[in-house]
Amino acid sequence: DSLRWSKIIICTDADEDGFQIRTLLLTRFYRLLPTLIKEQRVFIAETPLFEITVEEKGGERTYFAYDEFEKADIIKEIGNKKYTIQRSKGLGENEPDMMWQTTMNPATRRLVAVTHADPKETFEIFDTLLGDNLPARKAFISAHGKEYMKNLDV
């Protein structure tokens, strides 16, 4: 109740390294400050992976795609218009205008609330993926690795 802020927002790059950093931060919140998650005070800011600039009459229009599927949808929507695609190299390389449009502006940013419905299941997942139980981690990756193939950054 005495927090200075209403939200803690985790903002990392939109690649595998950023996802790993996000996971490590979430683990810290889960283990050291679980009340923040329980009270829905922790959020993840989605950051764009692609900036797509389209030449239009009277100037340019910029679209932001947050994954490969969204990029494909935007390209399909653009049709035959001339465009350029720039892959985000990381938040540190973004111009302030882009950061405001995509990540900082409360009216346009995408935030995902961090929640857990089942504390026991949440503990088991964190313990399996980030704990000392190596056999459980190997079994999990063998069983579920194929489900994450679409997220590979290759």
Side-chain angles (χ1 to χ4, degrees):
D1 291 335
S2 61
L3 288 176
R4 293 183 187 183
W5 304 282
S6 62
K7 293 180 178 85
I8 295 171
I9 301 172
I10 298 171
C11 187
T12 61
D13 291 348
D15 59 12
E16 295 306 314
D17 292 336
F19 297 156
Q20 177 67 16
I21 293 166
R22 179 189 304 170
T23 302
L24 293 171
L25 288 169
L26 287 172
T27 302
R28 285 279 146 228
F29 281 112
Y30 172 75
R31 291 196 173 151
L32 300 176
L33 302 162
T35 305
L36 291 175
I37 294 173
K38 182 180 177 190
E39 297 295 324
Q40 296 186 1
R41 298 292 186 104
V42 180
F43 295 81
I44 296 168
E46 290 189 325
T47 54
L49 193 54
F50 301 100
E51 182 178 347
I52 303 168
T53 305
V54 181
E55 292 182 20
E56 293 184 346
K57 295 176 185 171
E60 296 178 336
R61 181 172 178 189
T62 302
Y63 297 86
F64 298 101
Y66 292 76
D67 58 35
E68 289 285 345
F69 301 106
E70 199 168 358
K71 179 181 88 170
D73 289 344
I74 291 169
I75 291 171
K76 187 190 309 184
E77 178 185 322
I78 290 170
N80 293 329
K81 295 179 185 174
K82 186 176 179 180
Y83 64 88
T84 59
I85 298 177
Q86 181 176 332
R87 190 175 193 289
S88 177
K89 294 178 183 172
L91 295 174
E93 305 234 350
N94 291 346
E95 294 293 326
D97 291 353
M98 180 183 174
M99 286 298 293
W100 176 251
Q101 289 176 343
T102 62
T103 310
M104 305 304 286
N105 185 346
T108 57
R109 68 183 176 203
R110 295 183 185 184
L111 293 182
V112 178
V114 175
T115 62
H116 64 84
D118 182 348
K120 183 179 182 229
E121 182 180 354
T122 302
F123 172 81
E124 289 174 9
I125 290 293
F126 272 114
D127 189 54
T128 297
L129 298 178
L130 297 161
D132 295 329
N133 191 347
L134 185 58
R137 184 166 33 261
K138 285 183 177 180
F140 181 88
I141 292 169
S142 293
H144 299 285
K146 64 185 173 291
E147 298 168 20
Y148 299 94
M149 294 299 288
K150 68 178 180 155
N151 295 329
L152 286 178
D153 185 22
V154 289

